[in-house]
């Protein structure tokens, strides 16, 4: 990333942290915590390799995986090498761990499980980036159980208050008994709340999360980027190369590290955005558990869902 871009992104991060207005908000009772859900996939969630649910919550993430799958490890047992015979390679193809939709900052052997955790292992190509800080495919996580056993308030930040897309997103979160506050853009983003930004890209450009998106997966972890002042959205393949380009009526649901690249804070910012108002409406309608399941990010165009990174021929099990 060019130096002037890094400087601009850092400045935006400081501004957003200063704008945090709800650090002390309470958020009441949430969805009842259950056991631990362990999911194993390949190719950015495109191929299901296994799924297990544990009613008891004990030990580490590694131990939870080993109770249901055959696992081989490396580096003294701290990191996964293979799961049920599926292993990475020296050619930048490896296992990555997401807990409640957030990339784990620590190894599985040193990370405790908590009630309600959605533990997701994915085997994928990391040539374009080895850092995808947040994904959408564990929805309604991290809104229900947070991260590391800590829940966070949810702030829906809208370009236009009480708009159709804004209300669609708020109602979907409320259907999971997630307490939600609405505010203007920049109202809730910070270390102590999960922001959900709703609006067309031209109007949210300048938000840190949007700034990251336009620089591609190396900056945002999202394999899509807006071009031509936000009027077009490029879908990228696992190599980070342009695979398809869509114009009007295109929306995207994605999640990024709301505090900028290199910041280890786990709290993400979600984006419900698009090339225009119709695209935002389409993205808001895609903000459901069934449509987001197992996707790293989701582009919607002309009534069709396109998981990104875009893969014409996903890996098969």
């Amino acid at each position: 990333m060019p130096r002037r871009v890094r400087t601009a992104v850092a400045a935006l991060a400081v501004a957003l942290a200063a704008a945090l207005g709800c650090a002390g908000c309470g958020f009441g009772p949430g969805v009842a915590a259950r056991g631990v859900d362990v999911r194993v996939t390949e190719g950015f969630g495109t191929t299901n390799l296994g799924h297990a649910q544990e009613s008891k919550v004990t030990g580490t993430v590694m131990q939870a995986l080993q109770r249901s799958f055959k696992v081989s490890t490396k580096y003294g047992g701290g990191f996964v090498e293979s799961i049920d015979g599926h292993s990475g390679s020296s050619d930048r193809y490896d296992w990555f761990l997401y807990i409640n939709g957030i990339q784990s900052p620590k190894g599985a052997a040193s990370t405790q499980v908590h009630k309600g955790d959605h533990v997701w292992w994915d085997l994928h190509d990391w040539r374009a980036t080895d850092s995808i800080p947040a994904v959408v495919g564990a929805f309604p996580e991290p809104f229900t159980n947070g991260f590391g056993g800590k829940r966070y308030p949810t702030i829906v930040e809208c370009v236009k208050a009480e708009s159709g897309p804004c209300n669609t997103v708020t109602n979907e979160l409320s259907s999971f008994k997630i307490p939600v506050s609405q505010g203007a853009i920049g109202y809730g983003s910070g270390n102590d709340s999960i922001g959900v930004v709703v609006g067309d890209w031209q109007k949210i450009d300048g938000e840190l999360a949007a700034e990251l998106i336009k620089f591609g997966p190396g900056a945002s972890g999202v394999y899509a980027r807006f071009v031509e002042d936000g009027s077009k959205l490029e879908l990228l393949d696992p190599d980070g190369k342009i695979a398809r380009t869509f114009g009007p009526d295109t929306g995207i649901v994605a999640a990024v590290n709301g505090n900028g690249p290199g910041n280890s804070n786990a709290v993400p910012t979600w984006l419900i955005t698009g090339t225009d108002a119709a695209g935002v409406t389409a993205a808001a309608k895609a903000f459901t558990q069934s449509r987001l399941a197992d996707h790293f990010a989701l582009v919607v165009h002309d009534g069709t869902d396109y998981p990104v990174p875009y893969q014409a021929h996903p890996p098969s099990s």
Side-chain angles (χ1 to χ4, degrees), residues 136 139 172 176 253 283-293:
V136 303
F139 184 77
E172 182 65 19
F176 289 97
V253 182
K285 291 179 179 178
F287 185 68
T288 67
Q289 185 174 23
S290 60
R291 291 180 68 178
L292 297 179

Side-chain angles (χ1 to χ4, degrees), residues 43-305:
F44 301 94
T46 58
T47 302
N48 179 29
L49 300 180
H51 179 215
Q53 291 183 316
E54 297 190 0
S55 58
K56 294 183 179 180
V57 183
T58 57
T60 66
V61 171
M62 181 71 81
Q63 290 169 334
L65 178 68
Q66 291 171 327
R67 284 194 287 266
S68 298
F69 298 89
K70 184 178 179 180
V71 181
S72 65
T73 62
K74 54 186 176 182
Y75 303 124
F79 294 87
V80 168
E81 182 172 33
S82 72
I83 301 175
D84 282 356
H86 300 272
S87 62
S89 70
S90 59
D91 191 26
R92 296 189 178 184
Y93 200 78
D94 218 331
W95 286 104
F96 290 83
L97 170 62
Y98 302 87
I99 301 175
N100 296 340
I102 298 169
Q103 187 170 345
S104 178
K106 300 188 296 183
S110 56
T111 301
Q112 294 294 121
V113 293
H114 299 86
K115 285 185 178 180
D117 275 352
H118 178 290
V119 177
W120 181 5
W121 293 89
D122 186 73
L123 179 64
H124 66 244
D125 187 325
W126 54 274
R127 281 174 289 184
T129 181
D130 63 352
S131 178
I132 302 176
V135 297
V136 303
F139 184 77
E141 300 299 349
F143 303 99
T144 53
N145 289 298
F147 185 78
K150 178 182 178 181
R151 294 180 60 233
Y152 296 84
T154 298
I155 314 294
V156 177
E157 306 172 40
C158 304
V159 167
K160 185 177 180 180
E162 302 298 329
S163 64
C166 191
N167 288 336
T168 296
V169 169
T170 299
N171 291 339
E172 182 65 19
L173 290 165
S174 297
S175 73
F176 289 97
K177 303 187 187 307
I178 300 166
V180 180
S181 298
Q182 280 194 16
I185 296 296
Y187 173 72
S189 298
N191 295 343
D192 297 318
S193 64
I194 303 175
V196 184
V197 179
V198 184
D200 63 88
W201 193 87
Q202 288 184 332
K203 293 178 182 175
I204 68 170
D205 186 17
E207 271 275 291
L208 173 60
E211 287 288 297
L212 296 177
I213 288 283
K214 67 183 181 183
F215 297 120
S220 65
V222 179
Y223 286 73
R225 61 180 174 227
F226 287 95
V227 295
E228 298 186 16
D229 295 326
S231 63
K232 292 184 179 180
L233 182 64
E234 294 176 342
L235 283 62
L236 309 180
D237 66 15
D239 289 333
K241 298 177 181 178
I242 301 170
R244 302 194 68 164
T245 301
F246 293 135
D249 306 337
T250 303
I252 183 172
V253 182
V256 302
N257 184 336
N259 299 288
N263 192 308
S264 61
N265 191 285
V267 183
T269 294
W270 282 49
L271 296 171
I272 315 294
T273 186
T275 56
D276 50 24
V280 178
T281 297
K285 291 179 179 178
F287 185 68
T288 67
Q289 185 174 23
S290 60
R291 291 180 68 178
L292 297 179
D294 294 346
H295 298 324
F296 275 44
L298 184 67
V299 172
V300 185
H301 176 75
D302 197 23
T304 301
D305 291 350

Side-chain angles (χ1 to χ4, degrees), residues 13-40:
V14 172
L16 286 175
L20 177 63
C22 198
C25 294
F27 45 92
V31 175
R34 296 180 291 275
V36 178
D37 183 271
V38 182
R39 188 171 300 273
V40 180

